[in-house]
């Protein structure tokens, strides 16, 4: 059964550095999403992406964040200048027939 | 009022017990309701998906949606130690980007 994959599984970075989180969605998914989960808190929507453009974004998704689908398979989330409060698990998801399937996540630690 | 409320627990039951997990919500536009299971530091795994009101059964799991009360439930029969995890409810409205709004999750431990 195809799965959503994410790399890296864990990323440690210094405050102010740029990070790129990568996802390979399942090929027949049309909508792609990024969510994040700060330790001990609920999963929060960041952004949805459809037809190579952002369809909706949350208040969290400010100018420091961007998403891309650079080559038709990978789906990336870039954080330009990381802050301590960006430390969280970041999940990529894809949707098929109203069901959203999540990747295993990237744990981002900002020092 | 929070959009989706879920008792975080923790909930501890003996093996074989029936487990009931619940969420309430405030947004009447929600039409699609899901239950995910999440192990520590892992991605949410889709367990059950229900559209609008009614029941859905899959093996030991039953999902119920009562839209009139804005209340959803997940029942686990004959619970096993392997069911120990955090259970997240999530939901979205029809149309738009179908972004999910999650509850905080209920941590369940099934003791052998």
């Amino acid at each position: 059964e195809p799965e959503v994959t994410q790399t890296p599984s864990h990323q440690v970075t210094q405050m102010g550095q740029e990070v790129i989180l990568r996802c390979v969605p399942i090929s027949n998914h049309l909508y792609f999403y990024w969510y994040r989960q700060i330790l001990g808190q609920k999963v929060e929507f960041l952004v949805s992406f459809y037809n190579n453009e952002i369809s909706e974004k949350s208040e969290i998704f400010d100018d420091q964040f961007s998403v891309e689908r650079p080559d038709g398979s990978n789906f990336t989330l870039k954080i330009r200048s990381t802050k301590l409060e960006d430390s969280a698990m970041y999940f990529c998801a894809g949707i098929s027939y109203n069901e959203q399937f999540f990747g295993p996540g990237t744990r981002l630690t900002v020092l | 009022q929070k959009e989706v409320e879920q008792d975080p627990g923790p909930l501890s039951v003996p093996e074989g017990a029936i487990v009931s997990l619940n969420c309430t919500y405030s947004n009447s536009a929600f039409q699609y309701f899901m239950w995910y299971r999440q192990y520590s530091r892992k991605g949410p795994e889709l367990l059950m998906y229900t559209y609008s009101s009614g029941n859905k059964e899959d093996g030991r799991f039953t999902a119920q949606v009562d839209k009139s009360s804005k209340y959803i439930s997940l029942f686990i029969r004959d619970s096993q130690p392997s069911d120990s995890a955090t259970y997240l409810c999530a939901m979205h409205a029809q149309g738009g980007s179908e972004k999910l709004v999650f509850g905080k999750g209920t941590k369940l431990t099934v003791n052998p």
Side-chain angles (χ1 to χ4, degrees):
Chain A
E1 187 174 312
E3 293 180 339
V4 178
T5 59
Q6 290 186 243
T7 54
S9 57
H10 188 195
Q11 173 94 45
V12 181
T13 190
Q14 295 290 325
M15 192 168 56
Q17 295 296 303
E18 175 183 286
V19 294
I20 297 176
L21 310 182
R22 291 182 168 81
C23 169
V24 179
I26 298 172
S27 60
N28 66 347
H29 286 176
L30 297 178
Y31 263 103
F32 310 110
Y33 304 82
W34 284 100
Y35 293 83
R36 80 169 184 192
Q37 186 178 31
I38 294 170
L39 189 63
Q41 297 188 25
K42 60 171 65 177
V43 177
E44 300 174 287
F45 167 76
L46 291 178
V47 65
S48 59
F49 193 81
Y50 174 73
N51 206 22
N52 287 324
E53 59 183 33
I54 291 173
S55 61
E56 187 173 353
K57 57 185 180 179
S58 71
E59 291 176 353
I60 304 166
F61 195 88
D62 62 21
D63 292 345
Q64 293 300 312
F65 291 86
S66 62
V67 288
E68 251 189 353
R69 198 155 186 234
D71 57 14
S73 60
N74 291 289
F75 179 46
T76 62
L77 174 70
K78 183 193 291 186
I79 309 175
R80 267 181 269 282
S81 178
T82 49
K83 307 190 222 8
L84 295 175
E85 55 265 36
D86 293 327
S87 295
M89 287 288 288
Y90 288 81
F91 297 110
C92 169
I95 193 167
S96 177
Y97 300 105
N98 292 305
E99 297 182 354
Q100 284 194 30
F101 297 94
F102 283 71
T106 293
R107 181 154 64 104
L108 177 64
T109 302
V110 182
L111 303 175
Chain B
Q1 184 182 11
K2 292 179 185 174
E3 256 192 315
V4 179
E5 304 227 33
Q6 184 176 8
D7 185 343
L11 183 61
S12 182
V13 301
E15 183 174 354
I18 296 174
V19 176
S20 172
L21 305 167
N22 312 294
C23 287
T24 59
Y25 63 96
S26 58
N27 188 346
S28 56
F30 289 144
Q31 298 273 359
Y32 298 87
F33 304 91
M34 290 154 210
W35 286 95
Y36 287 86
R37 179 172 59 197
Q38 186 179 32
Y39 296 109
S40 182
R41 294 185 182 266
K42 302 292 184 186
E45 173 195 2
L46 182 64
L47 279 178
M48 300 286 285
Y49 154 69
T50 312
Y51 170 66
S52 195
S53 283
N55 293 359
K56 186 173 183 178
E57 190 173 318
D58 184 2
R60 296 184 295 111
F61 297 89
T62 300
Q64 286 185 353
V65 175
D66 182 349
K67 289 192 68 186
S68 62
S69 303
K70 296 191 178 69
Y71 187 88
I72 69 170
S73 302
L74 178 71
F75 297 95
I76 308 173
R77 287 183 299 283
D78 187 25
S79 55
Q80 302 295 309
S82 56
D83 295 328
S84 298
T86 297
Y87 289 80
L88 313 175
C89 64
M91 49 201 78
H92 69 81
Q94 180 135 17
S97 71
E98 302 184 351
K99 65 177 184 187
L100 287 175
V101 180
F102 279 84
K104 198 171 181 182
T106 300
K107 185 169 183 178
L108 171 68
T109 301
V110 180
N111 301 299

